[in-house]
Amino acid sequence: MNTHPARTTALLYDLTEHGSAAHSGGHVHWWALLALALGTAALIYAMACAVTPFARCRRCDGNGKYRKPTGRAWHPCKRCKGSGHRLRWGRHITNYLHRIRDHSTRATKQREHLSRRGPR
């Protein structure tokens, strides 16, 4: 280890001038890349839920029916009710948020309407 005084002052000068010794200009942190990747994936999934809210049913593989374990007869899928489609979980969340907003605005409008009527 070199303890030369000139070397220490040069290191202190670099720290005060650039903020830190580890900051070398173009270094990108791993957590920033991870956040960017997760944000991009969430945006792509949100767009997919908006464009195609339904996906194939996992139980019947989109057929709307499946064979019983005996393999002889076809029966309608109980999970998708024979349609072959399921609602994506991202669309479930979107529908829930829209429903909450609609209920709150409807309650506010009704409250305003009743307050304008006056006493009976």
Side-chain angles (χ1 to χ4, degrees):
M1 185 164 150
N2 189 1
T3 58
H4 194 271
R7 178 78 177 137
T8 308
T9 57
L11 181 61
L12 287 174
Y13 176 73
D14 285 340
L15 282 174
T16 57
E17 185 176 68
H18 300 293
S20 71
H23 183 61
S24 62
H27 179 71
V28 179
H29 294 285
W30 63 270
W31 50 266
L33 290 176
L34 180 66
L36 181 65
L38 288 175
T40 304
L43 182 65
I44 289 171
Y45 185 74
M47 289 185 341
C49 287
V51 173
T52 56
F54 294 99
R56 291 188 330 185
C57 177
R58 292 185 185 130
R59 183 173 184 188
C60 65
D61 201 29
N63 293 324
K65 57 189 177 189
Y66 67 98
R67 284 192 188 265
K68 286 287 190 177
T70 59
R72 297 186 67 185
W74 289 90
H75 294 280
C77 179
K78 293 178 184 174
R79 184 174 289 173
C80 66
K81 298 176 181 68
S83 69
H85 299 288
R86 65 175 176 87
L87 197 60
R88 295 178 189 263
W89 62 265
R91 190 58 186 224
H92 274 288
I93 293 170
T94 305
N95 289 348
Y96 177 74
L97 294 174
H98 283 292
R99 201 176 312 121
I100 288 175
R101 192 193 70 211
D102 289 344
H103 284 280
S104 67
T105 56
R106 189 177 308 131
T108 305
K109 286 180 182 178
Q110 186 177 11
R111 197 176 313 115
E112 289 172 358
H113 176 71
L114 291 174
S115 66
R116 280 184 284 177
R117 281 184 18 191
R120 287 189 171 197

